[in-house]
Amino acid sequence: FCTFSRIFAGFPMPKVKPNKGLLKRIKITKSGKVKFNKAFGRHRRSHKPGTLLRSYRRPKTAHASDLGRVQSMLFISLKRRRKPEASSEETSQD
């Protein structure tokens, strides 16, 4: 009869290690947004339209639905952006 503590006696606890590949590809802003660069914009650009190439230069932020995945890979907590609520003036019907 073996218990968990007997099997792993003498072994250190597993470390919480963030995904280094993801850390190199994103920046986390002060407000908690995740900024990244869009793919396909570095080479083989000659056949792509100018509007597409200009769109690669614009800053991109991760969607709120992707923040959970980023949090689990980096072991950090990020703020989820909420939709702005309607003010009381707009909702009241007179």
Side-chain angles (χ1 to χ4, degrees):
F1 183 100
C2 291
T3 62
F4 183 81
S5 59
R6 266 193 184 162
I7 295 171
F8 293 102
F11 289 100
M13 289 293 291
K15 300 291 186 272
V16 176
K17 297 164 77 171
N19 188 301
K20 295 294 188 177
L22 182 62
L23 281 174
K24 294 169 188 173
R25 287 166 171 80
I26 66 169
K27 298 278 188 241
I28 300 173
T29 65
K30 190 173 181 179
S31 62
K33 296 178 186 176
V34 177
K35 289 174 57 174
F36 63 94
N37 288 325
K38 199 170 175 183
F40 306 113
R42 296 287 182 191
H43 59 98
R44 294 186 182 176
R45 298 161 54 108
S46 60
H47 69 280
K48 296 174 184 170
T51 54
L52 182 66
L53 295 177
R54 283 191 294 278
S55 75
Y56 292 145
R57 292 197 298 258
R58 293 189 197 109
K60 312 291 182 299
T61 56
H63 193 263
S65 61
D66 294 325
L67 291 183
R69 190 178 305 117
V70 172
Q71 289 180 128
S72 65
M73 291 176 80
L74 299 182
F75 297 99
I76 60 171
S77 62
L78 299 169
K79 297 177 188 173
R80 291 186 182 264
R81 287 178 279 154
R82 296 174 189 245
K83 293 181 182 177
E85 296 179 13
S87 64
S88 60
E89 296 171 3
E90 294 173 1
T91 57
S92 63
Q93 300 287 329
D94 287 317

